[in-house]
Amino acid sequence: MREILPALARWYAAGEPFGLATVVAVNRSAPRGPGAAMAVGPDGEVVGSVSGGCVEGAVYELAQEVLADGEARLRTFGYSDDDAFAVGLTCGGAITVLVRRVSPETDPAFGAVAESVAAHRPVTVAVVTDGPAPRGAALAVWPDTAAGTLGAPGLDAAVTADARGELAQGATVTRHYGPGGQRREDDVAVFLESFTPPPRMLVFGAIDYAAAVACIGSFLGYRVTVCDARPVFATPRRFPEGVEVVVDWPHRYLGATETDSRTVICVLTHDPKFDVPLLEEALRRPAAYIGAMGSRRTHEDRMKRLRDTGLREDALARLRSPVGLDLGARTPEEVAVSVAAEIVALRWGGSGAPLTATSGAIHS
C-alpha cells in the first residue's frame, strides 16, 4: 500500500470515500504478496495493483459494490483453465483479497497512518478479515499509542500487543483470536500490515552513475541519500526528486549516520582519498551491501590500502568490487541496472543466472 498512499491520502483529506483492496493471503505462486493494494477512488479512478493484471477487473467491480453499500468483502482468486472467461491467476496460485470502504467516517485513523508512513514513522494497521467481528474494522498501532477499534476492547488489547511485536520485526501476517481477544481461539482473523521506515541507500560520489543508481534505488523502495564533498557536483537539481543530497566528506558523513542490516552502501567516487577512509568506515559497521566502483586494477590497489588499515579478511570479503553483475553494461543507466541486480540477488540469495538455467520457483 505504501506506493499508492499519496493518492489515498489526497482522497481521504478531501473526504472522498474509496474502496481499498488488499492482498491478505497468498497460496503457492502469486504475482503480488500480502500487503499489495489497489484502490478505486472518485469517478472510478484506479491506483495500484493486487495481481499484476489477472484479477483487477473483478476487484474493481467488488470495490464499486463496497463503495455502494459499505459492506467489506473477502474474495479468493485462484487458477482455472476450465473456463476461458473465468477470472483467475495464470500462475497457478491463489490470492485472498479484502476490499473495504475507507473514509474519515469509517476509518478515523487512516489520515494519521498515511502521515506516519510518509514521515518514515513505524506503524502497523490491523484489519479484521473474517469471523464474528466487523469485517473491515481497522486499528492503527504505533510503538506508543493506538487509534481505532476492531469492535471489542479485549480484541483491541490483544491485537495491539501483537501488532507492536510484529512492528519491531517489520512483519506482515494474519493472526487469529477469539471474539474477545482470546489467544487460544481462532474465530476472528486479523491482518496485521507493518509499515517500517524504508531501508537506506547511501550513494557516495555525485557523478552521472550516482544519479542513475539513485533513480533505480528510489524505484526499489530505498530512501536514497547522495553524498559528495564537492558542492559544485552535490546539487539537488542533478538528482531525481526525493533524493537527499549532502555536501560532506564521505567518511565523516557515514561515521555520523546510523546503518543497519538493510542498508545499501554504493561507493562510486573511485578516488583513494575518498574511497579508503569511507570503505574502512563502511566495512566496520552493519550493512546489507557494500559495493565500490572501479577497475580490477583499482580494486587490487584499494584492497591493499584497506589491509593496511588493519581490516581483517572477513571484513574485506563483504566488499563487492567491481560493483554490479556482468551484464555488459555501458551507459550509467545500464550500470545502475547491474548494481541493482547484484543488490537484489544478494538480498534474496539469487544466483544471478538466467531463469532458463535454473529450476524451482521462478520468484520467491
Side-chain angles (χ1 to χ4, degrees), residues 11 17-19 38-47 60-61 63-64 67:
W11 294 338
F18 55 88
M38 166 183 154
V40 178
D43 302 321
E45 181 182 354
V46 177
V47 294
Y60 178 87
E61 297 298 330
Q64 295 283 37
L67 284 171

Side-chain angles (χ1 to χ4, degrees), residues 37 85 95 240:
F85 298 98
I95 60 172

Side-chain angles (χ1 to χ4, degrees), residues 288-362:
Y289 174 91
I290 303 171
M293 177 176 280
S295 66
R296 290 181 172 82
R297 180 176 178 180
T298 298
H299 169 71
E300 293 301 323
D301 177 70
R302 184 190 290 137
M303 292 291 281
K304 178 181 181 301
R305 292 170 184 263
L306 289 171
R307 287 189 179 94
D308 290 343
T309 68
L311 283 169
R312 295 161 53 97
E313 291 301 316
D314 56 345
L316 293 172
R318 299 172 60 203
L319 178 60
R320 316 288 287 197
S321 174
V323 68
L325 296 184
D326 180 13
L327 305 182
R330 296 186 179 186
T331 67
E333 292 75 17
E334 291 174 344
V335 170
V337 170
S338 78
V339 173
E342 185 175 42
I343 291 170
V344 172
L346 185 64
R347 180 179 183 182
W348 300 114
S351 66
L355 289 173
T356 54
T358 65
S359 60
I362 296 176

Side-chain angles (χ1 to χ4, degrees), residues 251-272:
H251 73 281
R252 184 168 62 191
Y253 174 76
L254 182 58
T257 300
E258 182 178 352
T259 64
D260 59 26
S261 60
R262 303 184 302 160
T263 303
V264 165
I265 299 173
C266 296
V267 179
L268 310 181
T269 48
H270 52 80
D271 183 332

